[in-house]
């Protein structure tokens, strides 16, 4: 029996997290591939909100830690919170790693620009790859459940055209 089978997920909280739509001068957006993901799994950069930290502070810190982006400016904050459930398998994995169990994640989402150059230095222990893509290519990279629809809505909210 899995550890998560014994946990009432309705009693678990959502992990507070962030994500950033980073746009370059050509209108491309930055996607990241986490170290433990499959080759076709991509998402926006970002990460967890630490205790006593605001989501805005967290997204700037995470971009610095994971991508070496030390000159970022938040342009917009999304009205949409990206909430999703974690699988029992992932909950079990987190418990085995000694991490607190969460039922899923709630991500505050931001539109961010780099204020000095666009040099990306991915953190090797967390980020396997980074890729700049045109918004019209997003269909190829959103493979998680509901990810494509959420991404298109977010880009629309930030006035980023997805169509060619």
């Amino acid at each position: 029996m899995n550890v998560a089978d014994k946990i009432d997920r309705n009693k678990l909280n959502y992990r507070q997290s962030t994500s950033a739509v980073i746009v370059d001068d050509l209108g491309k957006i930055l996607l990241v591939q986490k170290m433990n993901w499959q080759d076709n799994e991509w998402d926006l950069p970002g990460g967890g909100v630490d205790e006593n930290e605001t989501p805005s502070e967290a997204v700037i810190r995470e971009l610095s830690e994971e991508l070496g982006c030390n000159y970022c400016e938040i342009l917009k904050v999304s009205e949409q919170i990206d909430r999703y459930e974690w699988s029992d398998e992932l909950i079990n994995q987190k418990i085995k790693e000694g991490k607190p169990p969460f039922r899923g994640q709630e991500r505050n989402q931001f539109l961010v620009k780099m204020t000095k150059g666009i040099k990306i230095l991915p953190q090797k222990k967390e980020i396997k790859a980074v890729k700049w893509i045109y918004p019209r290519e997003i269909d190829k990279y959103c493979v998680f459940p509901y990810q494509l629809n959420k991404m298109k809505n977010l880009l629309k909210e930030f006035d980023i055209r997805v169509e060619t």
Side-chain angles (χ1 to χ4, degrees):
M1 176 177 272
N2 288 329
V3 176
D5 293 338
K6 300 174 189 174
I7 294 174
D8 181 357
R9 69 171 43 246
N10 292 323
K11 293 181 181 177
L12 295 177
N13 292 321
Y14 287 92
R15 177 178 182 257
Q16 298 304 300
S17 187
T18 63
S19 64
V21 175
I22 301 174
V23 182
D24 72 6
D25 292 338
L26 299 174
K28 291 182 175 183
I29 59 175
L30 183 69
L31 297 180
V32 296
Q33 191 174 70
K34 300 284 186 171
M35 196 55 82
N36 58 343
W37 287 0
Q38 302 299 314
D39 288 342
N40 67 332
E41 296 175 335
W42 295 86
D43 201 3
L44 297 170
V49 178
D50 289 343
E51 195 172 328
N52 299 318
E53 184 178 49
T54 68
S56 296
E57 292 167 337
V59 74
I60 295 299
R61 176 186 51 75
E62 285 288 346
L63 295 177
S64 175
E65 289 175 2
E66 292 187 356
L67 300 174
C69 301
N70 295 314
Y71 302 100
C72 294
E73 177 185 347
I74 295 172
L75 301 178
K76 292 183 184 176
V77 179
S78 175
E79 295 179 10
Q80 306 171 52
I81 300 292
D82 180 18
R83 178 188 285 176
Y84 54 92
E85 300 289 322
W86 283 350
S87 67
D88 288 348
E89 178 183 34
L90 183 56
I91 294 170
N92 283 324
Q93 177 185 331
K94 298 291 183 186
I95 292 169
K96 287 176 187 172
E97 292 171 357
K99 297 180 179 175
F102 293 102
R103 69 181 289 169
Q105 254 186 164
E106 289 180 336
R107 296 195 306 181
N108 289 272
Q109 302 172 105
F110 300 87
L111 177 62
V112 173
K113 83 170 186 180
M114 293 183 196
T115 57
K116 287 189 181 180
I118 302 185
K119 186 174 184 180
I120 305 294
L121 302 167
Q123 183 185 51
K124 300 285 187 214
K125 71 176 189 174
E126 284 194 48
I127 305 296
K128 183 176 6 178
V130 297
K131 183 177 287 232
W132 289 98
I133 66 161
Y134 287 104
R136 68 177 176 266
E137 300 174 293
I138 200 69
D139 297 40
K140 300 176 195 173
Y141 299 96
C142 292
V143 299
F144 297 113
Y146 311 107
Q147 184 185 26
L148 181 59
N149 190 42
K150 288 179 185 182
M151 183 73 80
K152 285 184 175 181
N153 287 337
L154 180 64
L155 295 178
K156 182 178 178 182
E157 180 184 356
F158 288 156
D159 296 320
I160 298 171
R161 289 189 42 163
V162 175
E163 297 80 27
T164 55

